[in-house]
């Protein structure tokens, strides 16, 4: 079969690779479309320490079942599905607490093992989700689940004002999730295009911190108290710090971003404000169902969120140009046909 292979950082091309072997619990899927995300870009750039090479990237998938499995007769041949790209060991501390999204030994598709940018893929039934969605919508499920999970971690309710730092793929999911829980939702970014998309996804207010002061703008929107919940979806030391500074007393801070440098805190703020500081990683099945529900109700600006659809042959060039112009591109999808 054909697949996109990253041979080493900066070098991606379409190659012939062996067909996947169908496992005892696996279903054979024909991959139809794959969304590229920041972690695929990082793999291409050699900036993801978890990736080894050569690697087939891709984990935001829509696919059609081409061979079922007797152990899972509910998944019929011809059905379109999306999937959860994570694994869980079942025995680590996270798994024992039913938080398999944070499994200590997780292997994400396209990161620690070969991913979905290939004609065929074998997946166990427990990772598949059937939904009444288009191929493009199915590819958006997984990236949106990350923000949905963060909002669940932050226990967001309709009583809350929620500020989301970063309106990229991940932040956008948090905005849609907070807005759908009825919270007053504030999107923060440096880019007007991202903020426009944030409003389309449900943000009631937006702040462009390239020209508006963060603290004063948040204070004005929250009667001087600060947001009840801050979700950090950028991954920079200064936004990690700002989350703790800006959040209201007794508020919740949810970190999704991966900061690449050390962050130093005035830890007194944690104590004085009596904060809940939470990490949020990947997503649980309930987050997948919540996102699917939102997309089925057509409550998300799918077309605006996708900047282009390319073929598998065009994918290496698309990765290169995304790497050269990271700010101008929202989401690239690769169709395999
Ligand atoms: N915890 C997890 O499970 C998980 C999963 C996926 C991604 N991530 C992390 O989440 C973060 C966001 O990922 P993404 O794919 O949405 O990235 P992205 O690049 O698509 O989005 C980041 C957004 O932040 C904005 N931004 C950058 N600097 C800013 C600043 N100083 N102030 C305000 N806005 C700023 C950008 O304009 C962009 O819109 C990354 O750190 C990524 O590694 C975490
Ligand atoms: Zn992703
Ligand atoms: Zn585990």
């Amino acid at each position: 079969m054909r697949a996109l292979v990253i041979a080493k950082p900066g070098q991606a091309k379409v190659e012939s690779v062996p067909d996947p072997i169908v496992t005892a619990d696996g279903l054979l899927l024909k991959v139809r479309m794959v969304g590229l995300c920041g972690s695929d870009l990082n793999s291409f750039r050699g900036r993801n320490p978890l990736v080894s090479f050569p690697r087939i990237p891709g984990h935001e998938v829509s696919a059609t079942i081409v061979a079922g499995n007797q152990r899972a007769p509910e998944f019929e041949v011809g059905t379109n599905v999306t999937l959860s790209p994570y694994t869980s060991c079942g025995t680590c501390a996270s798994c024992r607490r039913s938080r398999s999204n944070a499994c200590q030994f997780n292997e994400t598709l396209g990161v620690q093992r070969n991913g979905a940018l290939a004609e065929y893929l074998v997946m166990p039934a427990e990772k598949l989700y059937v939904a009444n969605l288009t191929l493009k919508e199915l590819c958006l499920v997984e990236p949106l689940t990350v923000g949905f999970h963060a909002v669940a971690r932050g226990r967001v309710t309709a009583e809350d004002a929620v500020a989301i730092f970063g309106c990229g793929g991940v932040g956008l999911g948090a905005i849609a999730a907070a807005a759908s829980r009825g919270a007053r939702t504030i999107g923060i970014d440096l880019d007007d295009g991202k903020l426009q998309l944030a409003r389309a996804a449900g943000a009631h207010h937006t702040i462009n911190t390239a020209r508006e002061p963060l603290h004063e703008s948040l204070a004005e929107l929250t009667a001087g108290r600060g947001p009840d919940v801050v979700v950090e979806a950028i991954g920079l030391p200064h936004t990690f710090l700002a989350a703790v500074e800006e959040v209201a007393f007794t508020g919740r801070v949810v970190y999704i971003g991966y900061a690449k440098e050390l962050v130093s805190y005035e830890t007194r703020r944690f104590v004085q404000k009596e904060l809940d500081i939470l990490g949020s990683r990947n997503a649980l099945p309930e987050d997948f169902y919540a996102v699917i529900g939102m997309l089925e109700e057509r409550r998300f600006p799918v077309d605006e969120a996708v900047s282009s659809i390319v073929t598998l042959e065009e994918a290496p060039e698309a990765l290169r140009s995304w790497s050269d112009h990271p700010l101008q591109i929202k989401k690239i999808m690769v169709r395999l046909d």
Side-chain angles (χ1 to χ4, degrees), residues 37-39 42 86 146 165-171 188-191 194 209 232-236 238-239 255-260 280-282 327 330:
C37 94
S39 69
N42 276 335
Y86 320 118
V146 176
F165 288 20
C167 304
V170 168
I188 296 161
D189 207 290
L190 299 168
D191 179 82
K194 298 284 172 69
T209 45
E232 202 284 351
I234 301 172
L236 292 174
H238 80 268
T239 49
Y255 287 126
I256 320 179
Y258 280 107
K260 297 197 170 58
S280 183
R281 178 177 165 201
N282 300 346
L327 289 179
K330 287 179 281 196

Side-chain angles (χ1 to χ4, degrees), residues 71-260:
R71 295 188 196 171
E74 67 280 19
F75 288 97
E76 288 174 18
V77 170
T79 307
N80 289 341
V81 294
T82 189
L83 54 86
S84 167
Y86 320 118
T87 60
S88 51
C89 72
T91 54
C92 75
S94 303
C95 288
R96 290 164 70 105
R97 277 193 265 273
S98 303
R99 286 167 59 182
S100 56
N101 60 298
C103 174
Q104 194 176 347
F105 306 104
N106 166 59
E107 293 193 344
T108 301
L109 214 59
V111 181
Q112 294 94 339
R113 57 194 172 119
N114 275 335
L117 271 164
E119 286 180 278
Y120 295 96
L121 189 65
V122 171
M123 291 294 288
E126 76 211 41
K127 300 290 175 195
L128 302 183
Y129 295 87
V130 177
N132 184 19
L133 297 173
T134 64
L135 296 177
K136 194 155 80 169
E137 290 165 341
L138 285 167
C139 288
L140 280 178
V141 172
E142 188 277 335
L144 290 171
T145 60
V146 176
F148 268 65
H149 186 69
V151 164
R153 292 278 291 148
R155 307 187 302 279
V156 168
T157 73
E159 307 301 309
D160 293 320
V162 181
I164 288 103
F165 288 20
C167 304
V170 168
L172 213 52
I175 287 170
S180 69
R181 287 178 178 229
R184 201 143 60 79
T185 303
I186 306 161
I188 296 161
D189 207 290
L190 299 168
D191 179 82
D192 283 328
K194 298 284 172 69
L195 291 172
Q196 191 185 338
L197 192 53
R199 285 190 292 275
H204 304 97
H205 310 278
T206 52
I207 302 171
N208 185 329
T209 45
R211 53 168 192 270
E212 293 168 270
L214 177 66
H215 177 74
E216 289 75 8
S217 307
L218 283 174
E220 199 176 304
L221 291 170
T222 58
R225 289 189 294 270
D228 305 293
V229 180
V230 173
V231 177
E232 202 284 351
I234 301 172
L236 292 174
H238 80 268
T239 49
F240 259 65
L241 285 173
V244 165
E245 290 302 321
E246 298 303 333
V247 73
F249 274 68
T250 65
R252 288 92 79 199
V253 173
V254 187
Y255 287 126
I256 320 179
Y258 280 107
K260 297 197 170 58

Side-chain angles (χ1 to χ4, degrees), residues 36-40 59-60 142-143 331:
L36 299 180
C37 94
S39 69
D40 299 310
H59 60 267
E60 304 176 358
E142 188 277 335
K331 166 91 45 209

